[in-house]
Amino acid sequence: MFELHLVDIDYDLIDHLSSMIKDIKKDKIIFISANRRPIRFVEQKIDSHHILKTDFYILDEFVKDFVQYFSDNPPTIQSPIERYFFIHDLLKENLELYNKLGGSIQKVFPWCKRISSLFDEIDKHRVENRLQNFQYTELVEPSRGIVENLKNLYRRYKERMEEKNLTYTGDLYAQMLNILNSKKTFPDYENTAFILTNLVYISVTEVEILKKLSELSDLHFVVYDDLKNRGDMFESFTAVENLKKRLQKTLSMKINEVLDSKTFKKPEINFYSFNDTISEMDHLANILYDGYQNVEAPNDTAVILPDETSLYPLLINLPLDYKPNINITMGYPFIKTTLYILLSNLFELCIDIKKGLYDTLKIPAEKLITICDYSSIFYDQDLKKNLKDIKSHIYSVQRSIIEIEKERFTHFYNLIMNFIEISTIHDLSSNLEYLTSLMHRYPPEKLKEQIFTVNAINIFVEKFLETLKKLPNDKEINVELSYIIFKEISKDILIPFEGSPLRGLQIMGILEARGLKFKHLFIPDMNEGVIPSVDKVDPLIPESIKRIIGLPSYEEKEILMRYNFFRLVYSAKKVYLFFKTGMGDNSKFIRSRYVDQLILKEELDDNQEFVNIYKPQSNFFTPKHETLSFPKPCDISLKSYSPTALDCYLSCPYKYYLRYIKQIPPSINIDSDFKADKVGSIVHAILEETIEVDKPVKDSFSVENALTVIDRVREQDSHLTTKINNDDNLKNYILDMSELEYEMFKKILEYRFNNFLRTHFNDENLKNSIVMAKEKMIKKGKLEGVVDRIDRLGDKLLIIDYKTGNSLKPPSKRKVNQLSDKIGDFGINREDLLSLKEDLKSVQLLTYIVLASSKYKADEYEGIYYLFSKNNGNIVKFKVENEVENIIAYIINHIEKTDQIYPLPDKDCVYCEYNKMCRFV
Ligand code: SF4
């Protein structure tokens, strides 16, 4: 017997499912849900007698257990990584294709992951009979090679899988169906009923499986539907219509509609618009804090996060005294964690060293500093000390390439060498195991602040290293392949957050919310590309081929997403939808089509011209705490102060404390590169490369030369040793552009260089000044830093700082002169520091002037900012007439003598790398 239960969204599905379990008069019930959360909710509603007679499963788990239990010869289930190697070996059997895909394991490996998921889908949908060797000229060569061999490749894949008795997710469904078809009786399912729920899209194989199960026992298939025709013109419930058609094609069924006669009440929907993620999450946290402190029942209030990367910013923004329990059913992507960033940097460094680009252990200072900056993640004191010493060494030798000697930096040297020499899976596994063992033994007092990192390390060890253990230990790999494996596996790792039991505020992703209904619903990130997710062009196989084969198309996936979203919204009482508008990292934020549709519906339903959209101002600069200081817990002085460190202290001593004393890396930058201007950074790097010392700029720099350097980077010229080549961010930015984008980019560069030259040559001083030094590391007492450029013009010294961001804070000359007179009267307190901050904005250029003047004597000093991010090639000048050393000395004195740490929150907190963990905003 097959019964389809269509439950109107006014009903609570959990109540309905719990009642079904109580009412079904069978010895045993097998309850299967597409997602885990409803199982927990149902378990909470039924008594122990019914819990004992019910077996709860997630669908995939049920299929896996069934196959393992009923197979005469149970297959081995491949792990993803085993499967990628398996597909790699399969591809290698066809050398022509293998060469088209790159001809080496490093190049072929990323295709293995794509082929693995394609074959998995083919297995699950059992569409192998529709496969062909397709001729499709519009694909890139590797994809064309694969689709031209698709049928043969899949046939060989099946043969090998059978020979070795292997299986994987999709194939498990096919195997389950084979078992159901081949066995006559299943005594285990006598006097049993099946309940399946929240499965709205089903494959042909799944329909067949359901048919067979319903012949063995009663099968109740339960889904939410809109049975009261809520006047929705967006076809939000088409997914259920499609489901009915699919089922009716194959099996006969009874339909049971569950609804009452009350008229439905539409939810109150509130729309909020923001400029960035930080303000969005801050406002969400504020609404929850102000209005949702009494959340108890699990179906009362939920935050549904279509983008899991918003989870961390949300949690960080919720004040510590937020009362309700928080129950989280989702994970944070591992690839966004500090650990992933550190390991990626380490792999890239080793690969570059191995390539011979910098000879053995001659490492660019910049790259090395990036790794040293993560030293706080290590607990191992030897390695930590090595990293600190390396950093000091970089500053003391003042060179751009640093030699790491074995005797001096043994721990770091060995670490790098071990990675470079990886030759087997065993090497990779033991190196990573060793490296992480140096990390996760934090002393308890540190654990609280580092809990997220510690958790990430533990999950990484558990998931990644366990996965590696499934491969033959002696399998040959190298460091390049290790990095690819690391990246591929890392993409699938989520760091789960522990929640309290089923009470309080529920936080979950949209798929986990299937089958659940909440009175109050918050959905942030309502933007195109997130919900629905990007209309990704599959690089392996075009949509048209997917349709011919019979695999689910993007449209079908969108229909399902639409159902999941509108079902949630229509079943709530009060809904808050948050979206961003304006410019994001690399593209414009576009409001989700679902928001547009709901706005249109609101306007039509209420006959109003415009629906109200709230645009809250970010209140980041409103302190959440009354007291804005705390006693300094330790000495906060540094051995030496860079201009950046002094600027950091002046902008906010608490930020300085987190960064330089607690050494917490600016871990997860939500809107990373928010202010960075890549074009500006590239212009900066090229200037450094091409301008020559002892000449005026006009004699060594030409736009033509500069553009040639960029072309050589693009051509991956291995003889080029520019700063861009050493900066993967910049290099990849240039390499990843399409031809058209690259042409546009060069036009922009040309424009900026020409502006630079025009501004430069219009300036009497700069036109004739002689370049004396560039990228000059200077140390003076406790001060040290790298000055971008120093020029001389007669008796005058020009100290030049290249600025690539948009956030220039030039000090006022008048203010500096006034301050240098009265700084002696300033006390070590908050008020005086704040007034210095307000007057000066930044002390970077002042510090460079102090540094330069210690090395080069002149009658007059002039600080100059070159602003590359300004299209008109701005230059901001700043003459120093009086002594400025006193100002710098005051800040150092403040750091060393203060007994309090003073946070100085203001509107710039929105850009602060620590705002997610800051207690004061
Ligand atoms: S968010 Fe503001 S107050 Fe907090 S550390 Fe950053 S700058 Fe300081």
Side-chain angles (χ1 to χ4, degrees), residues 412-478:
F412 185 69
Y413 179 96
N414 288 342
L415 187 74
I416 295 287
M417 285 312 289
N418 287 343
F419 269 79
I420 291 175
E421 286 165 4
I422 288 174
S423 64
T424 60
I425 288 287
H426 174 262
D427 293 345
L428 170 62
S429 193
S430 49
N431 275 326
L432 285 172
E433 208 156 356
Y434 172 67
L435 184 68
T436 46
S437 77
L438 304 177
M439 295 175 182
H440 58 89
R441 287 171 291 145
Y442 282 107
E445 68 272 16
K446 273 210 146 190
L447 259 176
K448 198 165 174 272
E449 276 176 14
Q450 301 277 11
I451 192 76
F452 183 74
T453 308
V454 173
N455 207 10
I457 294 168
N458 291 337
I459 299 295
F460 172 74
V461 171
E462 186 192 315
K463 299 241 161 107
F464 190 86
L465 295 181
E466 284 308 312
T467 310
L468 282 190
K469 278 187 188 142
K470 296 200 171 120
L471 290 173
N473 252 339
D474 54 355
K475 183 138 197 110
E476 285 185 16
I477 56 167
N478 53 20

Side-chain angles (χ1 to χ4, degrees), residues 651-652 654-655 658 903-906 909 912 914-915 918 920-921:
S651 77
C652 175
Y654 182 55
K655 180 159 80 172
L658 294 176
L904 300 179
D906 63 12
C909 291
C912 172
Y914 297 94
N915 58 25
C918 178
F920 299 95
V921 292

